Amino acid sequence: MGDSQDEGRRRRRRSRQRVIALETVPASRMRWVFALLCLGLVGLMGRMAWLQVFQASTLEARARSFQTQQTDPLGTRRPIVDRAGRLVALDEERFRLWAHPNNFRFPGDEPTLVRPPLDIARRLSGLLAVPMAELVQRMGDRPSGIRLAEGIDPETAAEIRRLAISGVDLEPYPYRVYPQGDLFANVVGFLNLERVPQAGLEQSRDRDLQRHEQARSLRRGADGTPLPDNLAPGTFFGDDLRLQLTLDARLQELAAKALAAQVKEWKAKKGVAIVMDVRNGELLALASTPTYDPNRYWKFPAARFREWSVQDLYEPGSTFKPINLAIALQEGVIQANGKVNDIGQLQIGGWPINNHDRQANGVIDFPTVLQVSSNVGMVQAMRNLRSSLYWDWLAKLGIEARPDTDLPGAIGGQLKTKEQFTTQPIEPATASFGQGFNLTPLKLAQLHALLANGGRLISPHITRGLRSGDGLARVDRAKGLPLMRPDVTRTVLAWMESVVQKGSGKGAFTPGYRIGGKTGTAQKAQNGIYVPGAKICSFVATLPIEDPRYVVLVVVDEPQGENAYGSTVAVPVAKQIIDGLLVIEKIPPTGAHTALEPALEPAVKPAG
């Protein structure tokens, strides 16, 4: 009891001592404390004023940078479709898989736990179809930023996301896919792994194929909810434009298969097949072989990336004879009912010129000249045309000029100088049967389209323009440059029809349809020298003769065998293409003008 009282007295004594100590503090010290408190308050208010008045815009911009998500364009490209809208090239979403081993954790793991790479590889191996050991090797001992895989499809990416593995990230990117495989590779081209266009339309129309994307800035609230303010109209709009081709996938596939089979059978180096609409220059088919798969371009030699129908030159041979006869008719040096004396052999400037079979055909008309593919007859027909005027016509037809076309890489042909052509008699003589100058298969198709459409030189093309769901942007190319009279071209077409009826083009005959054509079997020249035994076999057809709409050209380079001629090598391919074209384009039979069956003649060696 006494102890507790003593303790109370001691506490009261200490309290009184503290009060006395405070009362004895000097007033000056209190003033200093008050001043310091006031100074701190003034400083705090000044800082607040500085931040809100002078640094408000800077701080607001910094806050918005934390609240705003910047999305850069992915660099997607527009699709390419054929004339009916079938997909030829498109971008699909693919994913890259990145690994950060210093953050490897499974759902439910402690925050401080880091899983070894083997645990992650065990879960990813089946989805990526990559052995665990290889995945572990790829990760190595690097702590972060490891690219584990590319080209992951969206379905697999979704499965990886469901694993919810910390330290594994998926990065989306566009990937160019060519669903038709090698069918359009020769004209469409491809993108390499860095998405840089390397060939074809992907390269020549690169700017048109790039979507006009823009970076997006999207504000988010504290909980991550998107805030739709300060967004320009159309920020989330992606155009639906696509580049439309004039090519038809069905006809392209038919032509490619027929051509590849014939090239293989005759052990030829290469071949090309072209189908052109003579009214406007649209190409419905442009097939080349050998070709490549743009989805796996790295497995093929780079030489296959060239489209030789527009980049390689050759001597057209007898397929150019109808063009020459049209020139002679236009200039009046021959008449539609005229004849020439084919004596089988001529000497021009000391050089011998023979028919392919070294036989004389006697006095023959011009349909027969084409039917038997008479070289001597052609020289006789063209020798009345002044060589200077003849050269002018070849130049006017654009033999040396690059064709006005959207086909990438197209080049002009080669023609002797006017001085050489006019001073050396052998030059116009050999030119009369399609040798001594070079052009591309595309150029020859363009010139035969001129015969078919009444004398207009049209521009061959394979694109119609950028198309959307509500319309088509296209250029009117139907006019063309008029060079010949329609009556001249109609006469030559009638002569060409006789070749299919009675001559070397009988293999292209189709009951109910009027078809004209001309075969060609030309010697192959390289660097101005003819290669012994090397041939280029070709056939060009126009249909239907009464109202021409299409030209079909087939060229096969260096078929092997003694019986390799235009009639045996190129005509069968053209026949298959013509049959498919009649069905696909729904061309009705001739009707009252139904073509007669070709005349039966004794078997003879095929004409050139």
Side-chain angles (χ1 to χ4, degrees), residues 213-376:
E213 299 175 310
Q214 55 183 333
R216 299 169 182 171
S217 297
L218 184 65
R219 290 190 61 200
R220 295 185 180 275
D223 60 352
T225 303
L227 303 176
D229 61 337
N230 296 326
L231 289 179
T235 298
F236 292 102
F237 173 74
D239 69 64
D240 63 345
L241 295 176
R242 53 197 184 274
L243 181 64
Q244 187 182 46
L245 306 181
T246 64
L247 303 175
D248 188 298
R250 298 168 299 174
L251 193 61
Q252 181 82 355
E253 183 177 11
L254 188 156
K257 287 182 176 180
L259 183 66
Q262 199 74 337
V263 166
K264 182 179 179 180
E265 179 179 345
W266 289 91
K267 299 179 177 61
K269 282 191 173 181
K270 56 191 176 184
V272 64
I274 298 174
V275 179
M276 181 186 293
D277 188 326
V278 304
R279 300 166 298 182
N280 54 23
E282 289 187 348
L283 299 184
L284 280 71
L286 178 55
S288 295
T289 189
T291 184
Y292 66 98
D293 185 350
N295 296 300
R296 294 183 291 275
Y297 65 88
W298 55 87
K299 294 185 176 181
F300 299 87
R304 295 195 183 183
F305 302 159
R306 300 174 71 254
E307 173 44 47
W308 80 275
S309 67
V310 298
Q311 294 178 317
D312 285 1
L313 302 175
Y314 80 111
E315 294 188 354
S318 295
T319 53
F320 201 82
K321 289 175 179 175
I323 309 295
N324 280 325
L325 290 178
I327 294 173
L329 268 176
Q330 178 79 16
E331 291 298 326
V333 298
I334 65 171
Q335 302 301 317
N337 59 355
K339 295 182 179 181
V340 292
N341 185 18
D342 178 2
I343 58 177
Q345 184 176 0
L346 288 173
Q347 287 283 332
I348 303 291
W351 295 88
I353 291 178
N354 306 302
N355 289 332
H356 69 94
D357 56 2
R358 298 183 180 275
Q359 299 295 315
N361 294 290
V363 178
I364 54 176
D365 56 15
F366 294 113
T368 306
V369 169
L370 294 181
Q371 291 167 29
V372 300
S373 201
S374 170
N375 293 340
V376 173

Side-chain angles (χ1 to χ4, degrees), residues 440-573:
T440 63
L442 180 70
K443 184 63 183 182
L444 184 66
Q446 180 192 34
L447 294 180
H448 275 274
L450 176 146
L451 294 181
N453 65 29
R456 293 179 293 109
L457 190 66
I458 54 174
S459 300
H461 56 280
I462 57 169
T463 61
R464 285 181 165 178
L466 292 174
R467 177 174 183 165
S468 66
D470 57 356
L472 176 64
R474 62 187 303 178
V475 178
D476 183 13
R477 298 183 174 94
K479 291 184 178 180
L481 177 66
L483 293 178
M484 292 184 178
R485 300 192 308 274
D487 63 297
V488 168
T489 59
R490 282 195 300 268
T491 300
V492 176
L493 287 181
W495 295 348
M496 291 176 65
E497 184 179 15
S498 74
V499 175
V500 175
Q501 293 291 329
K502 304 176 183 179
S504 56
K506 286 187 290 186
F509 175 80
T510 302
Y513 292 90
R514 297 178 62 191
I515 300 172
K518 184 68 189 83
T519 57
T521 307
Q523 294 173 279
K524 183 176 180 179
Q526 286 185 340
N527 301 320
I529 301 174
Y530 289 108
V531 181
K535 305 175 183 176
I536 294 181
C537 298
S538 55
F539 177 68
V540 60
T542 301
L543 68 146
I545 289 297
E546 72 278 4
D547 183 20
R549 290 181 57 186
Y550 302 104
V551 162
V552 177
L553 173 64
V554 176
V555 183
V556 178
D557 184 20
E558 287 197 42
Q560 305 301 306
E562 293 296 324
N563 197 39
Y565 296 96
S567 57
T568 57
V569 177
V571 169
V573 178

Side-chain angles (χ1 to χ4, degrees), residues 101-102 117 136-144 146:
N102 55 359
V136 172
Q137 183 181 8
R138 290 180 188 178
M139 286 184 270
D141 56 0
R142 292 164 55 191
S144 184
I146 302 167

Side-chain angles (χ1 to χ4, degrees), residues 51-64:
L51 293 176
Q52 294 202 15
V53 176
F54 297 100
Q55 286 196 311
S57 58
T58 303
L59 294 175
E60 182 181 6
R62 186 181 300 177
R64 287 196 179 276

Side-chain angles (χ1 to χ4, degrees), residues 427-445:
E427 295 300 337
T430 55
S432 69
F433 49 88
Q435 298 204 229
F437 64 93
N438 297 316
L439 45 65
T440 63
L442 180 70
K443 184 63 183 182
L444 184 66

